[in-house]
Amino acid sequence: AAPPTSHQEEAESPAEAERGLEERDEDELEELPTAIISRKVSQTSVYLQEWDIPYEQLQLGELIGKGRWGKVHKGRWHGEVAIRLLEVAGDQQEHLKLFKKEVMNYRQTRHDNVILFMGACMVPPHLAIVTSFCRGATLYSMVRERAATLDLNRTRQIARDIVNGMSYLHAKGIVHKDLKSKNVFYHTNKVVITDFGLFGMSGLVQQGRKKTVLRIPHGWIYYLAPEIVKQMGPEVDEDQLPFSKAADVYAFGTVWYELHSGGWPLASQPVEAKIWLLGSGEGVRKELADANLGKEITEIVSTCWSPEASARPTFSQLAGMLERLPKLNRRLSHPGHF
Ligand code: ADP
Ligand code: MG
């Protein structure tokens, strides 16, 4: 296949990229003059081929867990890896397109705080995403099991890593859409963000779902910005919800809240009340006041949870805010904090 020729070609529209993906057919191309080849094999498909892992090469190990996007296995492929198997039903060509679009997002991420994407199995029915295996714990279990060992210097460092990884993804035009403490791993003083972009594949795994019932996976709602909660309904597909960079910032606010309070806000309320309180954007404010986290920490949660998306800071602004937090050896304004 033709090698990449210029940077401009990379900026092709997603629609063109899609066409390129479909038209991959090396046997046929060998017969064609070079000019036609470079037009026919878009750069996209060339790049995707580099990330294709034949399913047979993977050694599937123990099942680690099952989330809404299918099963995650520990496995081996040139060492230890995590393998996310996607169970697809229905129109495979449609799914393959969606899947490849997400893989396109993954392949262009290189940041210390973002999971290492190693490749994908792209031949149906075996669709899988292969990433590095994260040792250590998720922030979810860490804040619930070891809250006492998390002092402000530590939480600030964790938050700074998340903010760096997130501002990198946003600079790349990638909206995470599922930032939550279960998707952030912490190991040897380093944060790794996982599972961004999988929402683009909701259509792929949600076939046959009932259009009369609104299903909200456990623990999801705490990370959803009010503009998203307001749009949710049985008729609305998840990939149609108004995710945005600002909605990612809202979700970060919840992670920051968890880091200091050791759990989710409003956890004791019944689900109907949560939807109402979170959807109105105001319900969490009282909770926040009651949580007594200290002025500086509360200010960051509060600005990330702004009901108006435009009032939320960007991740670059958050980096500055974290930098300005007082160091542990100075007293915070809230005397009970230490
Ligand atoms: P969730 O994020 O809601 O926990 P997932 O489907 O993303 O659901 O993950 C299923 C399980 O696999 C979880 O226990 C998660 O911690 C684990 N897991 C996911 N990705 C990795 C990874 N790269 N390395 C190690 N464990 C992982
Ligand atoms: Mg996950």
Side-chain angles (χ1 to χ4, degrees):
T5 48
S6 79
H7 283 91
Q8 270 159 348
E9 266 179 76
E10 208 180 348
E12 64 194 336
S13 73
E16 275 169 335
E18 282 307 312
R19 277 200 295 281
L21 295 175
E22 286 181 320
E23 288 176 359
R24 193 178 81 169
D25 188 341
E26 290 103 285
D27 293 338
E28 185 191 332
L29 292 171
E30 248 142 50
E31 318 274 333
L32 299 171
T34 330
I36 301 180
I37 292 176
S38 55
R39 210 164 4 103
K40 195 157 184 190
V41 184
S42 75
Q43 192 149 13
T44 322
S45 68
V46 175
Y47 276 148
L48 269 185
Q49 282 173 49
E50 282 179 33
W51 299 108
D52 189 60
I53 300 176
Y55 185 72
E56 308 76 56
Q57 286 187 7
L58 294 176
Q59 280 176 33
L60 215 58
E62 91 189 68
L63 177 71
I64 314 171
K66 191 169 158 42
R68 71 161 96 184
W69 286 285
K71 295 175 182 150
V72 178
H73 285 261
K74 197 171 184 171
R76 293 195 75 80
W77 187 71
H78 305 289
E80 202 161 64
V81 292
I83 303 168
R84 180 179 294 278
L85 298 176
L86 293 148
E87 285 150 31
V88 296
D91 181 355
Q92 299 211 329
Q93 281 312 313
E94 264 316 294
H95 291 154
L96 197 59
K97 258 195 207 170
L98 269 174
F99 179 71
K100 288 187 170 176
K101 220 164 153 177
E102 286 320 313
V103 173
M104 292 286 292
N105 268 342
Y106 266 89
R107 65 164 180 103
Q108 50 171 323
T109 53
R110 289 159 180 272
H111 187 280
D112 217 22
N113 301 118
V114 170
I115 184 88
L116 177 71
F117 168 72
M118 297 177 73
C121 303
M122 297 185 229
V123 184
H126 297 299
L127 299 186
I129 294 176
V130 181
T131 63
S132 57
F133 183 84
C134 298
R135 302 172 171 285
T138 61
L139 282 191
Y140 175 85
S141 50
M142 225 171 99
V143 299
R144 283 158 182 82
E145 288 155 23
R146 297 203 269 138
T149 64
L150 293 176
D151 64 34
L152 182 64
N153 286 346
R154 181 67 65 97
T155 56
R156 185 214 324 260
Q157 183 235 324
I158 292 172
R160 198 192 50 211
D161 278 5
I162 300 176
V163 163
N164 287 342
M166 288 302 300
S167 71
Y168 171 85
L169 289 177
H170 283 185
K172 287 266 178 177
I174 299 172
V175 176
H176 190 302
K177 302 183 182 176
D178 199 18
L179 179 60
K180 56 179 186 176
S181 56
K182 285 185 180 177
N183 281 339
V184 180
F185 284 83
Y186 189 69
H187 183 53
T188 56
N189 292 327
K190 201 178 98 176
V191 160
V192 174
I193 301 170
T194 68
D195 292 347
F196 47 91
L198 291 177
F199 258 88
M201 287 186 258
S202 301
L204 199 137
V205 290
Q206 292 239 315
Q207 293 229 335
R209 103 190 148 91
K210 281 194 207 151
K211 294 257 177 187
T212 48
V213 187
L214 173 62
R215 290 196 157 273
I216 304 175
H218 178 67
W220 187 35
I221 194 147
Y222 308 108
Y223 302 96
L224 290 177
E227 68 270 17
I228 295 175
V229 178
K230 282 183 193 142
Q231 292 293 315
M232 287 195 322
E235 304 277 326
V236 184
D237 286 330
E238 284 177 2
D239 44 0
Q240 303 306 314
L241 293 172
F243 290 106
S244 63
K245 291 178 181 175
D248 279 350
V249 170
Y250 183 98
F252 170 80
T254 306
V255 175
W256 176 248
Y257 176 93
E258 279 178 277
L259 278 172
H260 299 100
S261 73
W264 286 318
L266 302 170
S268 57
Q269 301 277 349
V271 68
E272 295 83 356
K274 278 181 202 158
I275 294 176
W276 190 83
L277 288 165
L278 293 163
S280 73
E282 285 305 319
V284 283
R285 306 213 156 252
K286 187 179 172 310
E287 178 94 350
L288 194 50
D290 293 347
N292 241 341
L293 301 176
K295 178 168 162 283
E296 289 86 354
I297 291 167
T298 302
E299 268 170 11
I300 293 181
V301 189
S302 181
T303 181
C304 292
W305 281 354
S306 298
E308 284 295 325
S310 58
R312 293 175 210 144
T314 62
F315 278 105
S316 326
Q317 288 167 336
L318 276 167
M321 295 174 79
L322 291 171
E323 223 37 64
R324 288 191 295 275
L325 280 176
K327 298 280 183 291
L328 190 56
N329 53 11
R330 277 179 43 201
R331 291 185 71 80
L332 286 185
S333 60
H334 176 58
H337 196 74
F338 304 111

